[in-house]
Amino acid sequence: MGCLGNLIWFVFGGLISGLSWCLAGALWCLTIVGIPVGMQCFKFASLSFFPFGKEVRYGGGAGSLLLNIVWLIVSGLPLAMEHAVFGCLFCVTIVGIPFGMQHFKLAKLALMPFGSAVY
């Protein structure tokens, strides 16, 4: 399912969601202070392009919590809302449920990207 799922995902919405992450990363990279945040966005853009077969594990400490709060206020909510809306739309049909679940995985990641790792 991984290769075929990623191919279908990329054609039917993965390109748009990945470009959203790239746009957020480019905007963060405009400032020198935001470059580490922008690089994290580019890393998660690759996950957003091809999410099947990958797992996200959450962790981190106080620094991650503070950075996640700043992220949530500045960029996290629009990305999370985009993925949540697409996830609900895909879950309307039985065939779209695996794709909706991937969007929900990315919505959670959009809310808490720092301190998480992709496997």
Side-chain angles (χ1 to χ4, degrees):
M1 175 71 181
C3 185
L4 181 62
N6 281 329
L7 181 65
I8 295 170
W9 170 270
F10 187 78
V11 172
F12 291 109
L15 179 65
I16 294 170
S17 64
L19 289 176
S20 298
W21 280 95
C22 287
L23 176 66
L27 291 175
W28 275 100
C29 285
L30 290 176
T31 65
I32 292 175
V33 177
I35 289 176
V37 178
M39 297 308 291
Q40 188 81 347
C41 289
F42 293 133
K43 182 171 71 172
F44 292 134
S46 68
L47 173 69
S48 186
F49 283 130
F50 304 108
F52 284 94
K54 296 180 183 170
E55 178 186 345
V56 179
R57 293 188 187 155
Y58 296 95
S64 296
L65 175 67
L66 294 174
L67 198 50
N68 278 330
I69 291 171
V70 172
W71 164 262
L72 185 64
I73 294 169
V74 178
S75 299
L77 283 177
L79 284 170
M81 299 246 322
E82 172 192 355
H83 286 297
V85 167
F86 282 142
C88 289
L89 289 174
F90 274 109
C91 284
V92 169
T93 65
I94 293 174
V95 175
I97 290 175
F99 300 101
M101 297 308 291
Q102 295 300 319
H103 272 294
F104 292 138
K105 175 173 76 173
L106 291 168
K108 183 178 177 183
L109 183 67
L111 292 175
M112 302 178 293
F114 300 99
S116 59
V118 178
Y119 295 102

